[in-house]
Amino acid sequence: MIHCHVCGAPQQEDAVFCSRCGARLAAETERDHTDADQPAAAAPDALDLLLQKNTIPDSKDTAEPAPVVAEDTPTAANTGNLLPPRRYSRHPMMWITPILLLIIISAMLWWAYQHELKQNQQAIQLQQQAQKLALQGKYKEAANTMTQAHDLRPDETSFVTDLNLIQKADRLHTKLTAVSGRLKNNQLDSADHSLGILEKELSGRTEPLFQAERKLAEQNRNQLSILTIKKELNNLNDVESLAYKLDEVDRLDSKDAKEVHDLIINKIVLLTLKQAEELIQGSSFDEAAQIVQTAIQYTGSQEKLKDMQTRIRSEQQAFEKAEQERIRAAQQMAEAEDLKNRTEGVQVSQVTTNVTEYGDLETTGIVENTATQPIYGITIHYSLYDASGAYLSSSTTSTDPYYLEPGESASFSAYDYGYGWYDQVQVQLDQVTWYLDEGGSDE
């Protein structure tokens, strides 16, 4: 068994041409010489094999042998005789190199993809963590975390937006905290001015991130309202104004609102009690009861106001009872006074009787108004008796002046003619009549 010195295919001992590549086989002596003097031929490379296969038909593809050529014609067969014989074989390493290269490139691409994916996931996790911190009010930590996410993905616009919003919320929080400090120091005007600007800025922010700051601004506004009302309480001295402020405080959502609420309630109660006391002293019980009832509507069932209601009713009942007794007594006194005025309203004094030079009888006297009302039309009724007591005549006379105020006096005089020849004449006052002026004097 021999082998082709070109392709290395096994050949028959007596073969002249290679049954695979068609190359002329070397003589046995040439083969022996070549084997002894030359090293083993290297396997032909793939290009040579391909060229040879395309130029020399394979014995398997055709039944006819390759044409015989002249010795001096340069063919593949005799050219091969001129070169050192080589052995061509398919080495396994020739396929490993491109496969290894493909595996290495694929691994590098996979590593790059996994690295980028990991970077994206890390950046998103940092963004979510920053958002969570910001919603908890930890703006400094949130900003630092968001900056790390932005460093991983500088081109991501959402990271820039979130970072700006966090920094904006941090600035607003700092300013609102400063407003709270001014309120604690009772710097109401300065706090009101700054708070108004911040509230206007927050009004255009609808993001959930600013919810906490809107709540802080609302708390500051409530606190400002409470401190303002508390300051105004010293100048409020009527129940209606205090009730209006009480309504304002009750609409505020603040822990300090309860304290101011109690202050207003206490002031309403004290003010109402003072006013009710003054009205009771003036016997204005209905008005006192009304203001107490109004205060109860504003303040609720306050114990002191309830006690005042009870006192007003009690004192009103006592007053009405005493008033009825006074009226009854007054009526009795009025009746007694009227009786006295009508029966004992005058007092007559200094009555004298004289006989004039003409023999007439002159009687004079004084009448005093002892009534409690003015009197007028005073008439003195008298009778004349002789020394033996026999009745002579009766007559009347009037006072001058005609009208007498209580306590005033008036004189009267009477003349009786033709009784001078009597040695003794006695004058007896029968009665005095008068009229009461019920309406009083016109003067």
Side-chain angles (χ1 to χ4, degrees):
M1 181 68 67
I2 63 175
H3 295 79
C4 176
H5 65 282
V6 177
C7 67
Q11 305 294 326
Q12 297 294 330
E13 293 289 341
D14 57 350
V16 178
F17 297 96
C18 178
S19 60
R20 174 176 293 182
C21 64
R24 183 182 178 86
L25 299 175
E28 184 177 354
T29 57
E30 293 176 353
R31 288 195 299 270
D32 297 337
H33 178 73
T34 301
D35 293 338
D37 298 337
Q38 299 293 333
D45 56 25
L47 181 59
D48 292 339
L49 292 175
L50 183 59
L51 291 174
Q52 292 176 6
K53 187 174 183 181
N54 289 337
T55 56
I56 302 176
D58 196 333
S59 60
K60 294 181 180 179
D61 297 335
T62 178
E64 297 182 357
V68 179
V69 295
E71 292 294 334
D72 57 352
T73 302
T75 63
N78 58 26
T79 301
N81 292 334
L82 297 177
L83 297 174
R86 294 185 300 173
R87 297 179 62 87
Y88 296 90
S89 62
R90 296 181 181 179
H91 199 280
M93 291 298 294
M94 65 184 300
W95 303 106
I96 293 177
T97 300
I99 292 174
L100 289 176
L101 183 60
L102 178 62
I103 292 174
I104 293 173
I105 294 174
S106 299
M108 292 178 64
L109 292 175
W110 176 256
W111 178 87
Y113 170 76
Q114 291 295 327
H115 178 72
E116 292 298 317
L117 182 61
K118 184 177 180 181
Q119 290 284 87
N120 287 338
Q121 292 176 345
Q122 186 177 359
I124 292 174
Q125 289 176 354
L126 288 172
Q127 182 188 32
Q128 294 174 348
Q129 182 180 358
Q131 292 173 349
K132 183 177 180 181
L133 290 170
L135 291 175
Q136 295 174 353
K138 301 176 181 179
Y139 299 118
K140 299 297 183 184
E141 299 179 33
N144 292 334
T145 305
M146 200 67 247
T147 301
Q148 296 176 19
H150 179 259
D151 292 341
L152 292 175
R153 286 292 179 265
D155 297 332
E156 180 58 43
T157 57
S158 66
F159 293 171
V160 178
T161 301
D162 285 356
L163 181 59
N164 290 336
L165 289 176
I166 292 172
Q167 292 173 343
K168 180 68 174 178
D170 188 22
R171 288 193 296 271
L172 287 172
H173 182 77
T174 301
K175 293 179 180 179
L176 288 170
T177 303
V179 170
S180 300
R182 294 192 188 101
L183 291 174
K184 290 181 180 179
N185 295 327
N186 209 29
Q187 299 174 358
L188 304 186
D189 293 337
S190 176
D192 187 20
H193 176 73
S194 299
L195 184 57
I197 296 175
L198 295 173
E199 286 175 333
K200 185 177 181 180
E201 190 171 354
L202 280 169
S203 63
R205 293 292 180 181
T206 59
E207 298 88 351
L209 175 61
F210 295 93
Q211 181 63 32
E213 304 315 314
R214 283 193 292 270
K215 185 175 182 181
L216 179 57
E218 182 180 357
Q219 291 174 352
N220 283 339
R221 176 57 65 184
N222 290 340
Q223 184 67 17
L224 176 61
S225 300
I226 289 172
L227 293 175
T228 302
I229 293 173
K230 193 173 182 180
K231 184 178 180 180
E232 294 173 349
L233 286 181
N234 295 329
N235 299 322
L236 298 179
N237 294 312
D238 62 279
V239 174
E240 293 297 330
S241 299
L242 290 170
Y244 179 79
K245 292 299 179 182
L246 182 64
D247 184 62
E248 285 186 8
V249 171
D250 290 342
R251 290 198 300 266
L252 300 176
D253 183 15
S254 173
K255 61 180 181 180
D256 295 329
K258 180 64 169 56
E259 177 185 353
V260 180
H261 173 91
D262 294 341
L263 287 175
I264 296 176
I265 291 293
N266 187 58
K267 189 163 186 178
I268 289 176
V269 171
L270 293 178
L271 185 60
T272 301
L273 293 176
K274 180 180 178 181
Q275 293 176 348
E277 185 68 34
E278 293 174 354
L279 291 170
I280 290 174
Q281 297 300 323
S283 301
S284 300
F285 300 103
D286 291 339
E287 187 177 355
Q290 180 60 44
I291 66 169
V292 171
Q293 181 61 35
T294 301
I296 289 176
Q297 293 176 355
Y298 289 141
T299 63
S301 182
Q302 296 293 318
E303 190 66 26
K304 292 182 178 179
L305 294 178
K306 289 292 186 181
D307 291 343
M308 176 57 74
Q309 277 188 325
T310 302
R311 179 187 170 190
I312 291 173
R313 286 193 295 267
S314 177
E315 296 214 11
Q316 185 175 17
Q317 292 173 357
F319 175 81
E320 291 174 351
K321 182 178 180 179
E323 188 68 15
Q324 291 175 356
E325 293 178 354
R326 283 194 298 270
I327 292 174
R328 189 180 302 110
Q331 289 176 345
Q332 293 174 352
M333 290 179 62
E335 292 173 356
E337 181 180 342
D338 183 68
L339 179 61
K340 179 180 178 181
N341 289 338
R342 295 183 184 279
T343 59
E344 301 177 10
V346 296
Q347 182 176 358
V348 181
S349 62
Q350 301 180 20
V351 178
T352 60
T353 302
N354 297 313
V355 178
T356 67
E357 58 182 336
Y358 300 105
D360 299 325
L361 185 65
E362 179 184 19
T363 303
T364 61
I366 301 297
V367 176
E368 180 184 359
N369 182 4
T370 59
T372 58
Q373 295 177 346
I375 59 176
Y376 64 94
I378 305 170
T379 303
I380 296 93
H381 300 264
Y382 65 94
S383 298
L384 298 177
Y385 296 89
D386 60 12
S388 63
Y391 171 78
L392 297 175
S393 65
S394 296
S395 184
T396 61
T397 186
S398 299
T399 60
D400 182 26
Y402 178 77
Y403 190 93
L404 292 179
E405 292 285 348
E408 291 183 344
S409 299
S411 62
F412 68 88
S413 61
Y415 291 90
D416 293 287
Y417 304 97
Y419 296 100
W421 50 270
Y422 288 102
D423 293 336
Q424 291 182 353
V425 176
Q426 297 179 359
V427 177
Q428 180 178 332
L429 295 178
D430 296 328
Q431 65 177 354
V432 179
T433 62
W434 62 91
Y435 296 98
L436 293 174
D437 187 1
E438 304 287 348
S441 175
D442 293 335
E443 297 180 0

